[in-house]
């Protein structure tokens, strides 16, 4: 078992969500909220605890786009690239954030595990285009300059917390 995984927390999640097969998605959502992704060893642990096959859990975890099997940063930045956001120049925002964080199309998370930058097909806020979210908080009418400023504010706030 992974030393970084606190299985008492996983047990708490199972207890809160109800250790029933019908609670599987809620359990996976809570685990992802705790670890910022779904660690493989936790999926196996949950399978054993819930009496569900590992294949079933892996199938659910890989079916839904919002679940991730790869570790993500503390701050997950989603850049909408739906039609409205794309037309209103979401790609320059993506490029500015990647440049600021030293990321690329293949490297989506910073080495310090602080930031993950990813694109999504649509955030459902077309009237506010271009839109980004940072840990589900919506930032409307974004520009590359404003996105970088917000990023610097987050970095500064976290520096003060340390």
């Amino acid at each position: 078992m992974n030393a970084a995984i606190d299985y008492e927390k996983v047990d708490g999640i199972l207890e809160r969500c109800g250790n029933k097969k019908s609670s599987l998605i809620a359990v996976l959502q809570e685990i992802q909220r705790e670890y910022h992704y779904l660690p493989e060893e936790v999926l196996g642990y949950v399978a054993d605890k819930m009496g569900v096959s590992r294949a079933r859990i892996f199938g659910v975890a890989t079916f839904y786009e919002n679940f991730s099997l790869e570790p993500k940063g503390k701050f997950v930045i989603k850049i909408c690239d739906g039609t409205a956001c794309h037309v209103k120049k979401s790609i320059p925002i993506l490029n500015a954030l990647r440049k600021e964080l030293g990321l690329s199309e293949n490297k989506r998370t910073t080495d310090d595990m602080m930031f993950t930058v990813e694109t999504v097909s649509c955030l459902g806020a077309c009237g506010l285009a271009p839109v980004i979210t940072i840990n589900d908080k919506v930032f409307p009418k974004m520009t590359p300059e404003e996105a970088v400023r917000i990023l610097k504010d987050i970095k500064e706030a976290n520096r003060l917390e340390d």
Side-chain angles (χ1 to χ4, degrees), residues 19-128:
N19 198 0
K20 303 175 294 193
K21 292 177 184 176
S22 61
S23 303
L24 178 58
I25 290 176
V27 167
L28 295 179
Q29 287 173 323
E30 288 296 316
I31 290 169
Q32 183 157 294
R33 189 169 296 121
E34 178 68 31
Y35 296 102
H36 303 286
Y37 79 111
L38 299 173
E40 189 174 331
E41 57 267 41
V42 171
L43 296 182
Y45 183 80
V46 168
D48 293 343
K49 288 285 192 174
M50 294 183 80
V52 177
S53 75
R54 290 172 188 235
R56 172 88 175 132
I57 289 183
F58 188 77
V60 171
T62 56
F63 178 80
Y64 293 102
E65 188 175 316
N66 282 334
F67 290 131
S68 176
L69 300 178
E70 295 179 23
K72 291 188 176 186
K74 179 178 179 183
F75 298 96
V76 176
I77 303 169
K78 294 182 180 178
I79 298 149
C80 182
D81 197 33
T83 303
C85 288
H86 187 84
V87 168
K88 295 211 171 192
K89 308 222 180 281
S90 60
I91 295 302
I93 297 167
L94 172 66
N95 292 337
L97 290 172
R98 282 180 174 164
K99 181 179 177 188
E100 182 70 21
L101 294 169
L103 299 175
S104 67
E105 186 174 335
N106 297 324
K107 181 182 180 193
R108 299 184 316 159
T109 301
T110 57
D111 291 335
D112 62 3
M113 298 301 292
M114 284 297 289
F115 297 97
T116 296
V117 174
E118 55 191 26
T119 59
V120 295
S121 299
C122 184
L123 288 170
C126 302
L128 304 173

Side-chain angles (χ1 to χ4, degrees), residues 138-157:
V138 176
F139 293 87
K141 310 258 184 219
M142 193 52 48
T143 64
E145 296 79 16
E146 181 66 8
V148 170
R149 187 200 59 75
I150 292 169
L151 192 63
K152 288 180 178 176
D153 287 349
I154 291 171
K155 286 179 177 178
E156 183 62 28

